[in-house]
Amino acid sequence: QVTILMSDRGIPDGYRHMDGFSSHTLKFVNASSEACWVKVHFKTDAGIKNLPPARAQELAAQDADYATRDLFNHIAKGGVASWSMSIQVMPFADAATYRFNPFDVTKIWPHADYPLIPVGKLVLNRNPENYFAEVEQAAFSPSHMVPGVEPSPDKMLQGRLFSYPDTHRHRLGGNYHQIPINAAYNAKMGNYNNRDGYMNVNGNHGATPH
């Protein structure tokens, strides 16, 4: 990821004009328990736009919030930021014989071997009402997966599966999943016999003794 940042691709002119990638390989499993390996791509609908090195250096020194403000102001004026989402799909058995390790985060799967398959859109169409509540307290982690999406043997991903939640517990407390921005709205969370501790805001199991 750092090598791409320093490559000839250029320095993105804000978040709206840059592509995004899962980097990691993920495992998708369908309703019949058939698995495949997947990489995810988000291509900006606003088009790639880069900064000249001198301008980038000036912004880094004088305006570190340039990219965030550009995105916020664009949405505040009624605009949307959107990316077209596609996936590359590798049959499960291909990983054992492919010409390089498909779980190496530094490798890019050739599109000639595994072409992009359009899936949908990622659209940002509103700004946070309270930056602290909705952004500073957000706790993203690659271990927070929905049914049908599973981790791969990618070694860096394996490390992030536990290190991200550990960071959230240190930063936000052991009950960070109860904070509204992190709470599951359409799935019941197991209580795992947890109670007490910082940020316990869901009743703490009431008067139950354990």
Side-chain angles (χ1 to χ4, degrees):
Q1 293 166 315
V2 174
T3 55
I4 287 179
L5 178 65
M6 301 301 177
S7 73
D8 291 337
R9 290 192 180 195
I11 303 168
D13 187 356
Y15 300 124
R16 295 188 294 118
H17 298 287
M18 64 187 294
D19 294 337
F21 307 91
S22 65
S23 296
H24 299 299
T25 300
L26 300 170
K27 182 167 75 171
F28 281 17
V29 183
N30 65 19
S32 301
S33 297
E34 299 167 330
C36 59
W37 306 113
V38 170
K39 279 188 179 287
V40 184
H41 298 246
F42 296 92
K43 297 289 189 178
T44 175
D45 295 327
I48 294 292
K49 184 180 177 184
N50 292 319
L51 293 167
R55 175 62 174 155
Q57 187 175 19
E58 176 185 345
L59 288 172
Q62 300 178 7
D63 192 359
D65 293 327
Y66 169 81
T68 301
R69 188 174 60 256
D70 170 76
L71 178 62
F72 185 96
N73 289 343
H74 178 74
I75 295 174
K77 293 174 182 176
V80 299
S82 66
W83 291 261
S84 295
M85 176 187 169
S86 300
I87 59 174
Q88 290 178 283
V89 178
M90 176 184 287
F92 193 83
D94 282 17
T97 57
Y98 197 63
R99 62 180 184 267
F100 59 75
N101 180 1
F103 309 118
D104 183 341
V105 74
T106 68
K107 297 292 190 295
I108 297 174
W109 294 0
H111 290 193
D113 293 345
Y114 305 103
L116 293 178
I117 302 172
V119 173
K121 296 274 189 181
L122 170 64
V123 179
L124 303 180
N125 57 14
R126 77 167 183 89
N127 285 317
E129 294 181 8
N130 184 287
Y131 191 85
F132 178 81
E134 298 181 55
V135 177
E136 293 291 345
Q137 292 190 125
F140 292 98
S141 171
S143 61
H144 298 162
M145 294 182 175
V146 297
V149 181
E150 300 178 5
S152 74
D154 179 333
K155 291 183 178 180
M156 184 176 288
L157 173 60
Q158 291 291 325
R160 285 174 165 167
L161 292 176
F162 68 84
S163 67
Y164 277 49
D166 270 0
T167 299
H168 300 324
R169 282 186 282 270
H170 171 74
R171 181 171 65 91
L172 299 169
N175 298 299
Y176 67 87
H177 59 279
Q178 295 181 25
I179 301 172
I181 194 62
N182 300 318
Y185 286 95
N186 294 310
K188 184 172 175 143
M189 287 285 294
N191 62 40
Y192 310 113
N193 294 316
N194 283 350
R195 71 183 308 174
D196 304 332
Y198 294 116
M199 305 307 296
N200 197 312
V201 296
N202 69 354
N204 200 29
H205 298 292
T208 55
H210 300 291

